[in-house]
Amino acid sequence: MSTLAPELHELLNKQINEEMSASYSYLAMSAWFEDSPYGGFAQWMLTQSQEETTHAMKFYHFLVDRGAKVDLTAIAAPRHEFGSPLEVFETSLRQEEHVTQCIHRLYEAAEKHRDHESKNLLNWFLDEQVEEEKVVQDMIDRLRLVGDNPVGLLQLDQEASQRKPVPAPSEEA
Ligand code: MG
């Protein structure tokens, strides 16, 4: 029998879907870039997609470890048409802001139910969201700076291709 409060249990299950939906959405963004001259941005979005899957798995394993039932629900089709690289990154930022709100709601539920283990898990995600939003915002700022300049765009694309996956805590040390 799980000691998780039902409200928290439901939100944690929902977060698996949120992270998998984000992963699917980033995969669609990567596919859009694959069909463009920007192979570096395609790589960036693929890396991001894979990271989101690891986020979903952190929630999955947490539920399993707490003896709580995992409920997987349908993932909606992601947006797959965009007007420009900037529009893709702006969509990414809105998505991250949404996920941050979900993590805040989860944290508040964990506090309400005095679930310290959940808070510990969610602290990692709070830090992660600060980093995610910063990295995307930085790219948006630079994309706005170069505008339609092909040389500038290809330079940012080259930089994006260098992005390394952020290791999950279990892979560190
Ligand atoms: Mg995530």
Side-chain angles (χ1 to χ4, degrees):
M1 183 65 187
S2 171
T3 54
L4 267 181
E7 180 192 18
L8 198 48
H9 185 191
E10 188 185 331
L11 286 173
L12 287 164
N13 263 312
K14 191 163 167 279
Q15 197 60 29
I16 296 177
N17 185 289
E18 292 284 356
E19 302 291 346
M20 289 304 287
S21 295
S23 174
Y24 213 36
S25 174
Y26 281 122
L27 192 59
M29 292 177 190
S30 183
W32 185 82
F33 277 123
E34 289 288 0
D35 202 25
S36 80
Y38 309 112
F41 290 136
Q43 180 57 46
W44 167 299
M45 290 298 171
L46 182 63
T47 298
Q48 188 64 38
S49 173
Q50 289 164 344
E51 255 189 62
E52 299 303 341
T53 303
T54 68
H55 294 170
M57 291 311 293
K58 283 169 80 76
F59 286 107
Y60 172 91
H61 287 299
F62 184 76
L63 285 173
V64 169
D65 290 348
R66 291 289 295 269
K69 190 168 176 287
V70 172
D71 282 319
L72 300 180
T73 52
I75 298 170
R79 177 174 171 187
H80 62 275
E81 291 294 345
F82 303 92
S84 65
L86 176 60
E87 197 179 31
V88 180
F89 278 88
E90 285 172 339
T91 305
S92 163
L93 182 60
R94 282 195 296 275
Q95 188 167 290
E96 290 306 329
E97 287 168 346
H98 168 72
V99 170
T100 298
Q101 282 178 0
C102 293
I103 301 293
H104 286 173
R105 198 168 157 221
L106 263 165
Y107 195 89
E108 284 153 20
E111 282 203 308
K112 181 175 145 194
H113 296 287
R114 300 184 182 198
D115 194 310
H116 306 300
E117 292 81 3
S118 291
K119 279 165 70 176
N120 191 41
L121 172 77
L122 292 163
N123 275 320
W124 184 87
F125 279 95
L126 288 173
D127 287 345
E128 173 70 8
Q129 286 309 118
V130 170
E131 181 63 18
E132 300 273 42
E133 287 188 29
K134 180 192 182 298
V135 166
V136 176
Q137 184 65 62
D138 285 351
M139 186 58 84
I140 287 173
D141 291 345
R142 290 191 295 162
L143 282 167
R144 286 194 178 135
L145 194 68
V146 302
D148 292 331
N149 182 324
V151 176
L153 280 168
L154 287 173
Q155 187 172 342
L156 289 182
D157 180 67
Q158 170 61 26
E159 273 182 44
S161 73
Q162 306 299 314
R163 181 176 178 186
K164 296 279 181 292
V166 179
S170 57
E171 297 165 19
E172 288 168 357

